[in-house]
Amino acid sequence: MAIQTIQTTPVAGQRPGTSGLRKKVGVFQQAHYLENFVQCVFDTLGDLAGKTLVLGGDGRFHNRAAIQTILKMAAANGVARVLVGRGGILSTPAVSCVIRKYEAMGGIILSASHNPGGPDGDFGIKYDIGNGGPAPEAVTDAIYQRTTTIASYRISDAPDLDIDHGGRSYLEQMQVEVIDPVDDYAELMEQLFDFDAIRKLFASGFTMRFDAMHAVGGPYAKAIIEGRLGAPEGTVINCVPREDFGGGHPDPNPVNAAELIELMARDDAPDFGAASDGDADRNMIVGRKFDVTPSDSLAILAANAQVAPGYRGGIAGIARSMPTSSAADRVAAALGIPCYETPTGWKYFGTLLDAGLATLCGEESYGTGSNHVREKDGVWAVLFWLNLLAVKGQSVQQIVEEHWQRFGRNYYSRHDYEGIDAHAAKVLMDDLRVKLAALKGVEMNHYTVDFADDFEYTDPVDGAKATQQGIRIVMTDGSRIVYRLSGTGTEGATLRVYLERYEADPEQHHIPTQQALAALIAIADSVASIAYNTGRSNPTVIT
Ligand code: VG1
Ligand code: CO
């Protein structure tokens, strides 16, 4: 065994997006591509002597090969110890949990999350820092800068390591410990939620279907929900992580998890339905014949946090991404706690959680989480709902409708225009920016524009600034239209249009969502000339 220094040259385009570096598998398979990026991560971290690194991924195609490469590079760069999930498997929240529990320097997660996998699909890599959260922009910027000048990387020529059996071994001087992917995480969940109450709920005949979408949430949901909580076998479906996610799109929304939605729409549907994404940090919550929007889910968990032992002492604050509906703000106001509005991406919640300013966080994109780790957490959200259902003894629909009665309903929808021409998307956003100032006071479709701007954020803890985080048009009644370009896609551009309208009157709480938002949808199209600019008359995905 020897440590090699391999000459290389910079590869263009290695700037991490909303959540890590994501590219087609074929790009990651190019010579030096992964190695360059990983070396830049190590170079940015500085002295690695004596440090522990956590390593795992969502099991998608190329995961195992990438794990071996990274192990050999970690050894060659002087990392003291790596904790790697057995089979190369660790969900994103589990990596966060393990980093925190073992006080690791950080972790590398191999995942393109909700993006499709397989040889023709996407691959991705992201770095989590010592608090267990996504590297903040200062770190990802430094990594990116380094990718533009890299000249060599270090790697051991040792043979591949056995990662399929637990236990310790050595690679060069580095200790490698293969850990059970689920145990530490399951133990943490047991501390947060009332497992006895949930066990009783299942024992009483309560039925559930959890669709793991052939992704990494499967082993966690199976071990916890069927194993520790005693739900009958078959409660968790599609629970073996597959390299291509069974050919599906592991994005738990009503469009991609159509099979679950169809099941939940039947008269004999289970009491509760849920799904998680590729790396198990997203969650979808479904009742019988009733979908819960992620924005409502955050608000409802916040309003009822005390049902769970982990939050019995109350919550300090809530944080939500800007495009997420303001349903959580109303709960925060009622609780007399702050609600923070951050740019899209979990990395912006880390400082608020570390400082104890926020306890619960959420994004409209099916992401919910808390200060138990520093990533969003799909299985956690599902267990929180189970705890809530066990304590309340009501249906999902009853819980949501009672919430609306108390706080009002924030009608909410996101329209995605996927895979549009990148230049056309840029033109659309640039044109919108030019129009913003003139929109103030303009009346359209019975709405009057209160203000329109490009969202900017200054982190209240460390003062870091983020600009151009989404264009918002806010109406005098608080209704909003937000436009953003996705930072996770790998083909062309994706335009996201977020729509929100508040309705206090319970008599008006049962309008179909797209109908309730029709006037705003029309304004969104006309102000941004979406059809004209993108050549699309309809969104590709509506959630
Ligand atoms: C999307 C979501 C964002 C989420 C991100 C990562 O980003 O909108 O809310 O944090 O995905 O989620 P974008 O830039 O495409 O809108 V995941 O589950 O891919 O880690
Ligand atoms: Co994800």
Side-chain angles (χ1 to χ4, degrees), residues 71-83:
L71 284 172
K72 291 171 200 175
M73 289 186 68
N77 278 277
V79 172
R81 183 167 75 130
V82 172
L83 302 175

Side-chain angles (χ1 to χ4, degrees), residues 22 92 111-114 277-282 376:
R22 295 186 194 183
T92 288
S111 172
S113 189
H114 62 285
D277 75 330
D279 59 338
D281 58 355
R282 295 187 180 203
K376 57 186 184 268

Side-chain angles (χ1 to χ4, degrees), residues 26 56 66 119 130 165 170 187 289 303 340 347 440 487 493 495 506 512:
H165 301 91
Y170 280 85
E187 216 173 84
K289 302 188 180 192
Y340 300 89
K347 58 184 172 231
K440 194 179 170 62
L495 170 70

Side-chain angles (χ1 to χ4, degrees), residues 60-69 87-88 110 163-164 243:
R60 70 179 60 218
F61 186 81
H62 202 51
N63 191 54
R64 294 177 70 90
I67 295 262
Q68 295 293 347
T69 300
L110 300 169
I163 54 167
D164 294 311
E243 289 199 330

